[in-house]
Amino acid sequence: MTYNHSEQAIKANIYINQQQEKVKNSKYRLNYHMMPPVGWMNDPNGFVQYNGEYHLFYQHYPYAPKWGPMHWGHAKSRDLVNWEHLPVALAPSEYYDIGTMDDHGCFSGSAIEKDNELYLFYTGHSIERDPMQVQCIAKSEDGINFTKENQNPVIDHFPKDGSKDFRDPKVWQYDNQYYMVVGSKKDGKGKALFYQSSNLINWTYRGVVAESNGKQGDMWECPDLFPLEKEHVLILSPMYGEKNEKPIIIFGEMDYNTAKFSQERSILLDYGHDFYAPQTLIDEKGRRIMIGWMDMWFSKRPSEGDGWVGAMTIPRELTYNHNGIFIQQPIEELKALRHNHHHIENIVINGVHSFPKLDGIATELCIDFDIVNSDSPVFGLHLRCSTDRSEKTIIKVDTNNEEIIVDLTSAGKGESGIYKAPYSPKTNGKLNLRVFLDTTSIELFVNHGEQVITNRIYPHTSSIEVDLFAEKGKAKVLKADKWSLRSVWK
Ligand code: FRU
């Protein structure tokens, strides 16, 4: 196969091929999450199904485990679980995405297919240019080799309602037209700017489709607007000043004629520390699937010392449950990783009750608590415990406050902190916790995806014990299942 990458992409690929063996078996590598082969990863980009295969691109700096001039890393998968790394898709190379200072590159964006070609939409960024952020296209006929469009930048200036922070185009098709939202800010409010096109090359500005209600940040990064069953939703990653905050999902009505998305209600997508810049695709089965950067700006990142940083969450399917509540659930395909099943049922916990140790760290746990027949106000799990329990990651169910708490104060290296999500007490009296553990991550799904709490944790590899506990009373476990999860990388 011949590669028609810019010189910079070829250089990046040679470097990655030389360095990846060193990183491959380092201790913090994950087993079933997407990670960069080497170097730095942040936002998911260009998440799409193309010719039957899922493609995931990502913000990437191959040369060091820190943010730098942005490339687009690339991987593909048949099932969103087993990934194959591909050559870097985009590298800074043109006047609109390069600069003499390190602050430049191919910033976040999305992908869409048209006439069998795969189009990548990205923000060309250079801190030295005015305007510093413009919208660009790169195209491919094979899904591997991308050529930047001659007519770039296809949007060469921010509109009157925006400002120089003008980035992260998400493109979709609706009723035979193409639409784009771009994140921006003005007058202290985050904004989603809306464009329309019939050919993906010429774009007409239609206005501010949505903006912060005053409490949703002064800059919106990575907006994603799409239909979800009967309504439209807008996902975005807000900034408050220089600080990135937890992504939200806003539910509402979209009027394509007036170019307005009316906000009805909004919630946090994830209550953990390590979830940012999520992006969705719709696949051939009609599923809306979301993946997020499982890390966060300005965090402690112990894997730096091993030459790599950043990972993606497991993919989540977005739907509503039979009560009409929005839920996020791990995609079905992940069940193929399960082996070594343990099942227990009907046990009453009073104090600390040990649970079978993890056989290997990559584990899924699924537990149903009987809330009605439990009188302990605080019960839950200790995970990734050292033998002496000086190290542990705690999940607590606080029934008085109706909160699920992930306590990382003794979780090991990495970010500490206490992360809380509200839960609604079930009418059927049950509370379900489903936990995905990997070498350096914990993703907790509460009540079948009503809430999610995602964190990176860096305990010692020998910390593999598990306890169930109930404080000041009894807690009843109706059933608990545990599976080891296979590694997709070895
Ligand atoms: C979000 C973000 C985007 C930008 C990219 C740069 O994490 O700041 O707004 O395009 O990262 O890497």
Side-chain angles (χ1 to χ4, degrees):
M1 190 180 291
T2 55
Y3 290 114
N4 182 25
H5 289 287
S6 67
E7 251 172 61
Q8 285 79 349
I10 294 169
K11 193 175 123 214
N13 290 325
I14 293 171
Y15 182 83
I16 293 165
N17 286 335
Q18 285 167 349
Q19 299 296 316
Q20 62 187 359
E21 280 303 310
K22 290 187 200 156
V23 167
K24 209 172 167 186
N25 297 317
S26 57
K27 62 179 177 304
Y28 295 128
R29 294 297 272 177
L30 296 152
N31 289 283
Y32 57 94
H33 288 85
M34 247 303 285
M35 301 164 283
V38 53
W40 166 273
M41 166 192 272
N42 60 287
D43 313 356
N45 295 153
F47 192 30
V48 73
Q49 193 172 18
Y50 175 65
N51 291 340
E53 293 179 313
Y54 296 97
H55 287 255
L56 177 66
F57 302 81
Y58 52 91
Q59 291 284 280
H60 186 34
Y61 184 59
Y63 301 108
K66 60 174 195 197
W67 192 88
M70 281 290 107
H71 296 57
W72 276 35
H74 186 192
K76 69 172 184 173
S77 172
R78 293 202 166 276
D79 53 11
L80 291 165
V81 177
N82 293 281
W83 292 97
E84 178 191 341
H85 284 296
L86 293 172
V88 158
L90 299 176
S93 62
E94 309 301 318
Y95 75 91
Y96 48 78
D97 59 27
I98 205 162
T100 57
M101 290 157 78
D102 268 359
D103 195 346
H104 68 260
C106 304
F107 272 20
S108 285
S110 55
I112 191 165
E113 178 183 347
K114 180 174 176 281
D115 303 332
N116 297 321
E117 280 188 300
L118 188 59
Y119 286 63
L120 305 183
F121 282 82
Y122 71 97
T123 299
H125 167 82
S126 174
I127 196 91
E128 296 144 69
R129 288 190 72 243
D130 182 14
M132 70 170 187
Q133 297 184 337
V134 291
Q135 312 318 321
C136 305
I137 292 176
K139 278 200 294 202
S140 170
E141 287 176 358
D142 61 5
I144 295 179
N145 302 289
F146 290 86
T147 309
K148 293 180 185 173
E149 173 64 41
N150 287 333
Q151 298 183 56
N152 278 348
V154 291
I155 302 177
D156 64 2
H157 206 285
F158 56 85
K160 62 179 189 332
D161 305 316
S163 59
K164 66 181 179 50
D165 287 281
F166 173 56
R167 57 180 177 267
D168 312 334
K170 175 76 200 264
V171 175
W172 73 105
Q173 191 178 13
Y174 193 83
D175 280 350
N176 287 325
Q177 283 289 305
Y178 295 102
Y179 296 95
M180 180 198 288
V181 274
V182 185
S184 194
K185 65 193 285 187
K186 195 168 186 181
D187 304 330
K189 283 183 176 173
K191 295 190 192 250
L193 306 175
F194 189 58
Y195 289 82
Q196 185 172 349
S197 171
S198 55
N199 62 7
L200 290 179
I201 304 288
N202 305 103
W203 291 90
T204 307
Y205 178 58
R206 296 278 316 275
V208 177
V209 70
E211 64 180 16
S212 165
N213 61 12
K215 295 187 194 131
Q216 297 159 326
D218 51 25
M219 167 68 200
W220 282 4
E221 296 191 309
C222 304
D224 189 354
L225 178 60
F226 53 89
L228 192 67
E229 295 185 16
K230 289 192 198 80
E231 43 192 0
H232 267 68
V233 301
L234 173 64
I235 284 178
L236 57 97
S237 299
M239 289 181 76
Y240 295 77
E242 293 298 298
K243 195 166 181 306
N244 304 78
E245 268 298 343
K246 296 188 190 347
I248 57 174
I249 178 166
I250 308 175
F251 302 86
E253 292 282 321
M254 178 64 199
D255 186 335
Y256 287 84
N257 292 322
T258 58
K260 288 281 174 238
F261 172 77
S262 58
Q263 294 204 27
E264 280 162 13
R265 59 190 199 285
S266 77
I267 55 170
L268 288 185
L269 274 167
D270 194 301
Y271 290 82
H273 181 269
D274 295 293
F275 180 78
Y276 197 69
Q279 188 175 93
T280 69
L281 61 68
I282 181 130
D283 75 354
E284 286 163 3
K285 295 180 187 149
R287 297 180 298 175
R288 181 60 66 170
I289 297 171
M290 180 179 73
I291 197 159
W293 179 34
M294 190 167 66
D295 213 313
M296 189 42 153
W297 294 108
F298 314 112
S299 296
K300 285 190 199 154
R301 306 182 215 278
S303 69
E304 255 165 13
D306 299 332
W308 71 282
V309 157
M312 296 296 165
T313 63
I314 51 175
R316 309 175 187 171
E317 185 178 354
L318 309 185
T319 51
Y320 299 86
N321 66 17
H322 57 271
N323 294 321
I325 294 171
F326 168 75
I327 52 169
Q328 312 172 51
Q329 287 195 290
I331 53 160
E332 277 295 307
E333 288 90 330
L334 285 161
K335 289 187 179 159
L337 298 177
R338 290 173 172 175
H339 65 105
N340 228 347
H341 183 204
H342 286 270
H343 174 82
I344 54 173
E345 51 188 41
N346 292 325
I347 50 166
V348 175
I349 323 157
N350 191 352
V352 179
H353 187 117
S354 71
F355 195 79
K357 264 190 210 161
L358 306 181
D359 338 279
I361 291 165
T363 303
E364 178 186 341
L365 280 164
C366 188
I367 305 184
D368 273 335
F369 289 98
D370 179 345
I371 294 266
V372 176
N373 295 306
S374 298
D375 58 14
S376 160
V378 180
F379 55 87
L381 294 151
H382 299 149
L383 296 164
R384 299 295 310 272
C385 306
S386 54
T387 312
D388 66 1
R389 299 308 188 256
S390 59
E391 193 166 78
K392 55 180 175 297
T393 296
I394 308 168
I395 300 179
K396 281 184 196 169
V397 181
D398 176 341
T399 56
N400 288 335
N401 295 309
E402 290 172 1
E403 276 175 342
I404 306 292
I405 301 166
V406 174
D407 181 342
L408 302 187
T409 42
S410 313
K413 295 183 187 159
E415 288 294 318
S416 181
I418 295 176
Y419 302 88
K420 297 180 178 180
Y423 70 89
S424 45
K426 289 274 169 156
T427 37
N428 66 6
K430 283 190 213 167
L431 177 91
N432 177 265
L433 299 182
R434 188 167 171 205
V435 190
F436 285 80
L437 286 173
D438 204 341
T439 327
T440 51
S441 64
I442 173 167
E443 289 158 284
L444 168 62
F445 294 80
V446 180
N447 282 339
H448 309 281
E450 288 184 14
Q451 279 81 26
V452 190
I453 310 178
T454 300
N455 287 288
R456 297 299 296 276
I457 50 170
Y458 297 84
H460 202 276
T461 41
S462 63
S463 295
I464 52 170
E465 295 187 24
V466 180
D467 303 322
L468 289 162
F469 72 90
E471 290 173 10
K472 298 187 194 120
K474 295 189 183 73
K476 185 165 179 203
V477 171
L478 292 168
K479 63 183 175 68
D481 291 281
K482 171 163 96 64
W483 295 269
S484 300
L485 298 178
R486 195 168 52 75
S487 173
V488 303
W489 292 115
K490 280 161 199 150

